[in-house]
Amino acid sequence: MGNVRSTVDVEIMKLTDFFMQRQHQDGAWHFCFENGITMDAYTIILFRILDIQDEGLIIRLHGRILSEQTPEGCWRWYRDEEKGNLSASIDAYYALLYSGYSEPTDEPLMRARRYIQSKGGLGKSNSILTKAILAATGQCKWPASISFIPMEIILFPTYLPMNLFEFSGYSRVHLIPMLIMADRNFSISTDKAPDLSDLIDSRQNHDEPSPQENREIVESIRMGLSRLLGTPRYIHEAALHKAEQFMLNRIESDGTLYSYASSTILMLFAFLALGYDKRNPLIMNAVQGLTAMQYRYEDKATIQNSPSTIWDTALISHALQESGVPGDHKSVQRATAYLVSRQQDKAADWSVHNRDTIPGGWGFSETNTMNPDVDDTTAALRAIHSLSQTDPVYQDSSDRGLNWVLSMQNKDGGWPAFEKNTDKEMLTWLAIDGAKSAAIDPSGADLTGRTLEYLGKFCGFDMKYDFIKRGADWLISHQEKDGSWYGRWGICYIYGTWAALMGLKAVRLPAAHEALQKGAEWLTRIQNPDGGWGESCTSDRVMHYTPLAESTPSQTAWALDALIAVLPEPSPAVDKGINKMIELLQQDGWATTYPTGAGLPGNFYTLYHSYRYIWPLLTLSHYKKKYGA
């Protein structure tokens, strides 16, 4: 036992030094937020369409995409994704050809083509983004799952059961550009466009939405259209104009739409559909914003869908303070000053369902000024907590942030990510793969658990408070039969169970409570023989726990952190896990770079380059605090 504890001290010192060495002058940390090859591919295609002469970036993106191909010819979102990922492989193949730096006769491209054909070709893609890019560039028709939604939906008032603001913020900023393009039946090509006709099976017609599945949606749309009959004759043109304004009003200072690469790329194609010149300043500014999202390493680059600067900075600053770095240390001072400067002050889309609340949240990316979320906000609040006890500036910032977080609680008692009470089940019936996760923003175990952890540990709230009890009741009622919880934004049941147990313990749910005991027992039961924990991204797709063949640093840290919170003394499982986690810190293998962040089940997973260091530091610090040096 003593040996474990002395090793813990050494590793804490190493990690704190690691982070302090990598802090930027402005106080932030800039780690890569890696999301497969999809944004790399779309950026190449977009730049070729727009005739953007940035060959250095295109060559680096091309090299990165090619390096990710598997021997079978496919691309995967994660290493153990059985049979590969058809949509990602289509994106990669198309971009490699469009770049001009690969030829159809190159051996890797021939392997890719055989793989895509073996899986049924373009028509079998289940990614709405892949379908939209193919349609926008003239390779296939606009999918019916998009074209059946009338543009007029943007005019529906918010009191109707179906209106634009019933969709999640994330889905809105992607849906609007696609609706514009589908409405115009838009496509654009160049004389150097690849010919993908050999990947199209003319017999396929899989994209018609089922009338049965969409009956309630269609009925709501019909009701909305009937309410608009008294409006001017040019209702369609009014809807198109409002859709254009919707995009224009949500462009950030870096030129991107909502600070996402994916929605920005769609917006640029939508601008072309609306007749914008390719050299329009709005298009050029957005191209610069996209270019700035690259993360370079060696001779390659990747396009981050939204750089994780605020999230990483908040988490790292908090972890350093938990490890014993004092609040007046220059590293903490610089990080917290940076965070306070990024607190948001706009009543943006989140206020549609949360009126009359003073803005006070934080977003994920440095350039994000209008799309705050609950998780980033509580992360920033943890980081500035110690300074808020003595400094009026930080106190004011903390008060606004806390007020905003409390105001975001859903009527069911849980917390969402971005917007409250946007959980209408009928929107999950859209014929779009992943609609259940993308179309709505319901309460989540990870968001609710982490919010309760902040409110309990840092603000002193417990089960005596009604809003805490409602949150805890929501969590307890959403525990799986096996004792786990599903986490939406991480992989997956380990992530959700960690967040839920940390939250329930922080608001002082009794240690003997069945929910805490069952959760801890489940985590102990799924521990790997090597002492660590590892869960496959497949869990996110099949919606039940799927073990990974190896242990990962972040999942091992999450499981340990939860067990440390619940157990009064370190169990053999905990000490074995600590030893394995420390071992993982010294390793570089596929398991240490396995994606443990989630975006869209089956189609979007993220590797936070910071996670393999942040969560072990936090867990080691909690182990030392609770069980002694």
Side-chain angles (χ1 to χ4, degrees):
M1 191 77 71
N3 184 43
V4 171
R5 293 179 185 181
S6 61
T7 312
V8 165
D9 280 339
V10 171
E11 292 304 319
I12 287 173
M13 286 176 63
K14 281 187 191 171
L15 286 167
T16 54
D17 182 61
F18 169 83
F19 282 125
M20 286 184 183
Q21 295 291 331
R22 282 158 182 78
Q23 188 175 25
H24 285 236
Q25 197 62 42
D26 63 358
W29 279 271
H30 297 266
F31 281 89
C32 183
F33 179 62
E34 189 179 328
N35 341 101
I37 52 84
T38 297
M39 291 310 129
D40 305 345
Y42 297 162
T43 300
I44 289 175
I45 295 163
L46 175 73
F47 279 22
R48 288 300 185 227
I49 293 284
L50 293 175
D51 194 27
I52 301 297
Q53 303 290 325
D54 190 342
E55 294 311 300
L57 177 56
I58 290 172
I59 289 169
R60 288 191 293 273
L61 295 176
H62 171 274
R64 196 253 167 162
I65 293 171
L66 204 53
S67 72
E68 295 291 320
Q69 188 182 25
T70 69
E72 300 89 343
C74 66
W75 281 260
R76 293 187 169 100
W77 273 102
Y78 51 95
R79 182 187 171 97
D80 58 321
E81 185 175 24
E82 285 187 30
K83 302 174 185 174
N85 189 287
L86 175 60
S87 297
S89 299
I90 291 168
D91 295 338
Y93 177 75
Y94 189 21
L96 289 173
L97 285 177
Y98 226 139
S99 75
Y101 295 105
S102 284
E103 297 293 335
T105 51
D106 293 350
E107 193 271 336
L109 276 288
M110 290 168 66
R111 274 190 290 131
R113 187 163 60 252
R114 285 195 297 271
Y115 169 81
I116 294 167
Q117 288 170 333
S118 75
K119 298 301 176 190
L122 305 186
K124 287 287 191 176
S125 167
N126 65 358
S127 163
I128 193 62
L129 280 178
T130 298
K131 291 178 180 180
I133 295 296
L134 290 171
T137 56
Q139 297 288 354
C140 67
K141 294 179 180 177
W142 274 96
S145 51
I146 293 298
S147 57
F148 99 101
I149 303 173
M151 180 63 67
E152 286 79 3
I153 192 174
I154 198 168
L155 299 177
F156 290 7
T158 53
Y159 59 77
L160 287 180
M162 167 70 89
N163 69 79
L164 190 65
F165 285 91
E166 292 303 327
F167 290 90
S168 70
Y170 182 83
S171 61
R172 278 197 306 273
V173 296
H174 292 83
L175 183 61
I176 290 297
M178 288 193 280
L179 288 182
I180 291 170
M181 288 187 277
D183 179 76
R184 292 289 177 97
N185 197 24
F186 169 78
S187 71
I188 187 170
S189 189
T190 71
D191 56 3
K192 294 182 180 176
D195 179 7
L196 303 185
S197 58
D198 59 339
L199 300 180
I200 298 170
D201 186 340
S202 59
R203 296 165 297 178
Q204 291 175 358
N205 187 19
H206 301 286
D207 198 53
E208 290 306 313
S210 157
Q212 186 69 21
E213 284 180 350
N214 290 283
R215 186 176 65 246
E216 191 175 344
I217 293 176
V218 171
E219 189 54 43
S220 293
I221 290 172
R222 190 176 293 123
M223 183 199 306
L225 287 171
S226 69
R227 295 281 177 96
L228 293 170
L229 286 179
T231 58
R233 193 173 149 204
Y234 301 110
I235 181 172
H236 189 74
E237 286 75 10
L240 199 61
H241 176 72
K242 189 167 183 181
E244 181 182 4
Q245 291 303 311
F246 177 92
M247 296 189 301
L248 294 173
N249 292 339
R250 287 159 183 80
I251 294 175
E252 289 285 11
S253 61
D254 65 347
T256 64
L257 177 58
Y258 237 45
S259 75
Y260 296 131
S262 50
S263 55
T264 302
I265 290 165
L266 292 173
M267 174 184 74
L268 294 181
F269 280 113
F271 281 160
L272 297 177
L274 290 167
Y276 285 54
D277 185 85
K278 288 181 180 180
R279 292 294 175 266
N280 185 290
L282 286 169
I283 291 179
M284 291 293 97
N285 288 343
V287 165
Q288 283 186 354
L290 269 178
T291 304
M293 286 180 169
Q294 69 176 295
Y295 189 93
R296 291 178 63 169
Y297 59 101
E298 299 165 358
D299 58 345
K300 303 181 185 73
T302 187
I303 300 294
Q304 304 168 94
N305 195 44
S306 46
S308 52
T309 313
I310 291 176
W311 176 241
D312 283 331
T313 301
L315 293 179
I316 293 166
S317 177
H318 167 57
L320 287 173
Q321 292 175 75
E322 286 290 284
S323 76
V325 177
D328 60 1
H329 190 283
K330 65 177 182 179
S331 177
V332 175
Q333 293 275 337
R334 282 160 54 204
T336 51
Y338 170 87
L339 288 169
V340 168
S341 75
R342 294 302 190 278
Q343 189 171 23
Q344 299 190 10
D345 56 9
K346 293 179 185 176
D349 287 349
W350 58 266
S351 65
V352 171
H353 294 289
N354 187 8
R355 296 189 185 282
D356 303 320
T357 294
I358 297 168
W362 276 264
F364 184 74
S365 299
E366 197 166 44
T367 60
N368 176 342
T369 66
M370 63 183 85
N371 186 31
D373 66 271
V374 171
D375 224 1
D376 274 288
T377 301
T378 61
L381 288 169
R382 287 182 190 90
I384 68 170
H385 176 75
S386 64
L387 286 97
S388 72
Q389 306 304 296
T390 55
D391 188 320
V393 172
Y394 287 95
Q395 179 66 61
D396 176 67
S397 176
S398 183
D399 289 348
R400 284 200 296 126
L402 171 60
N403 178 63
W404 188 81
V405 168
L406 294 177
S407 78
M408 289 294 289
Q409 187 172 25
N410 280 332
K411 59 190 175 190
D412 63 11
W415 271 267
F418 297 98
E419 294 174 12
K420 68 188 290 187
N421 301 329
T422 51
D423 58 354
K424 288 206 169 149
E425 192 175 344
M426 69 173 171
L427 296 181
T428 69
W429 298 347
L430 284 171
I432 297 172
D433 190 64
K436 191 169 182 63
S437 289
I440 59 174
D441 185 9
S443 296
D446 46 346
L447 271 299
T448 303
R450 285 177 54 75
T451 303
L452 288 178
E453 191 270 348
Y454 166 70
L455 294 172
K457 182 176 177 179
F458 292 85
C459 305
F461 295 119
D462 59 23
M463 299 288 282
K464 296 194 298 286
Y465 294 85
D466 178 65
F467 61 91
I468 295 290
K469 187 174 186 310
R470 287 173 56 231
D473 287 347
W474 184 92
L475 266 182
I476 293 165
S477 70
H478 283 78
Q479 188 174 25
E480 305 283 335
K481 287 180 182 175
D482 63 7
S484 67
W485 280 268
Y486 169 74
R488 165 69 178 84
W489 300 97
I491 304 300
C492 199
Y493 290 91
I494 293 175
Y495 186 70
T497 305
W498 160 68
L501 291 178
M502 297 294 285
L504 291 171
K505 194 71 176 63
V507 296
R508 294 183 271 296
L509 192 72
H513 194 284
E514 184 187 21
L516 294 176
Q517 295 299 314
K518 280 180 66 179
E521 285 165 11
W522 179 79
L523 284 172
T524 305
R525 196 163 62 245
I526 64 160
Q527 186 175 20
N528 287 336
D530 66 8
W533 280 261
E535 179 176 0
S536 170
C537 294
T538 303
S539 292
D540 200 35
R541 190 55 145 163
V542 298
M543 297 303 289
H544 62 73
Y545 172 72
T546 307
L548 189 65
E550 299 280 347
S551 299
T552 72
S554 56
Q555 290 167 334
T556 298
W558 294 332
L560 285 169
D561 205 18
L563 291 174
I564 291 164
V566 173
L567 302 177
E569 295 293 334
S571 67
V574 167
D575 280 340
K576 189 176 181 183
I578 290 286
N579 282 326
K580 179 59 183 178
M581 187 174 71
I582 289 170
E583 186 186 311
L584 286 168
L585 285 167
Q586 327 304 326
Q587 293 178 354
D588 272 310
W590 71 261
T592 58
T593 56
Y594 187 82
T596 57
L600 187 62
N603 280 308
F604 198 87
Y605 296 100
T606 57
L607 169 63
Y608 291 84
H609 286 208
S610 60
Y611 271 21
R612 62 185 292 193
Y613 310 108
I614 291 174
W615 302 116
L617 175 57
L618 202 60
T619 296
L620 291 169
S621 302
H622 290 161
Y623 180 95
K624 180 179 176 179
K625 273 186 176 181
K626 183 159 186 178
Y627 302 139

